[in-house]
Amino acid sequence: MRATRTTRLSRDTIVNAALTFLDREGWDALTINALANQLGTKGPSLYNHVHSLDDLRRTVRMRVIDDIISMLNRVGEGRTRDDAVIAMASAYRSYAHHHPGRYSAFTRMPFGDDDPEYSAATKAAAAPVIEVLASFGLEGEQAFYAALEFWSALHGFVLLEMTGVMDDVDTDAVFTDMLLRLASGMERREA
């Protein structure tokens, strides 16, 4: 079903529409023509603002990374240790559930160094978590590895939850227990 075009096209309008499209239809369904249809126009009109589907997808991924970094910074601000870990992890989990298509874009990204700006953005996504881990006395490489462990646990949990593997489980209780175990591990690592 084609939408009636009511807004003037711009790169920002197209990217915002792509973010909404992702959450409704998913990463694999995002094409120039499908997005143009949602916007009430034809595919070639979008090429006045985005160079290609790859350009659009890269821009969407960069926006999602920025959104996640901003969210983690906001919820982690002024918090330390267990309080920060629980707040940031809960916000991350909530983001994944409220924006499943965007989350898919975030987790499907290639981590290669063929795009230095993109690689820098993906590494920057760990910065808010590393900052919180400093409250446990972790620094440098130790904090970076702990941030990877933190993200791995969250991502694994979210994927299991979203795919229905834990439908018969009190996921909130399991999630909280997992976070407290992670935080406890940070404390032991510090010692």
Side-chain angles (χ1 to χ4, degrees):
M1 181 176 167
R2 171 170 269 175
T4 304
R5 187 165 159 196
T6 58
T7 59
R8 185 177 167 107
L9 290 180
S10 68
R11 185 173 180 86
D12 200 45
T13 301
I14 292 167
V15 171
N16 287 334
L19 290 168
T20 301
F21 181 93
L22 281 177
D23 288 337
R24 190 179 64 250
E25 303 294 332
W27 179 257
D28 293 329
L30 179 62
T31 65
I32 294 292
N33 287 333
L35 185 58
N37 190 46
Q38 174 182 299
L39 289 166
T41 190
K42 298 206 181 288
S45 298
L46 272 60
Y47 288 113
N48 292 324
H49 308 281
V50 295
H51 303 293
S52 64
L53 179 59
D54 286 341
D55 175 41
L56 175 63
R57 286 183 170 192
R58 180 188 182 275
T59 303
V60 163
R61 287 174 169 162
M62 294 290 282
R63 176 80 66 85
V64 168
I65 291 169
D66 287 345
D67 289 348
I68 289 173
I69 291 171
S70 295
M71 173 201 57
L72 292 176
N73 279 324
R74 190 173 52 256
V75 301
E77 188 174 353
R79 297 175 189 258
T80 60
R81 303 180 70 87
D82 294 5
D83 181 43
V85 167
I86 291 170
M88 292 175 91
S90 296
Y92 181 90
R93 178 183 178 210
S94 178
Y95 183 92
H97 284 287
H98 286 94
H99 302 290
R102 296 175 204 201
Y103 186 73
S104 178
F106 175 67
T107 59
R108 285 186 179 201
M109 58 187 147
F111 288 100
D113 288 327
D114 55 333
D115 182 339
E117 180 186 12
Y118 189 70
S119 293
T122 60
K123 289 178 179 110
V129 176
I130 290 172
E131 187 175 319
V132 163
L133 296 176
S135 69
F136 287 97
L138 303 176
E139 296 175 348
E141 189 175 88
Q142 196 176 31
F144 180 73
Y145 289 147
L148 288 176
E149 293 162 8
F150 180 76
W151 183 64
S152 297
L154 293 180
H155 179 61
F157 187 93
V158 166
L159 283 181
L160 290 173
E161 192 174 32
M162 292 174 87
T163 57
V165 170
M166 296 193 289
D167 282 350
D168 298 330
V169 175
D170 180 354
T171 54
D172 292 336
V174 173
F175 187 72
T176 301
D177 285 348
M178 179 187 76
L179 295 179
L180 293 174
R181 283 188 189 95
L182 281 170
S184 169
M186 302 300 171
E187 290 172 1
R188 281 197 305 274
R189 179 179 273 160
E190 176 190 10

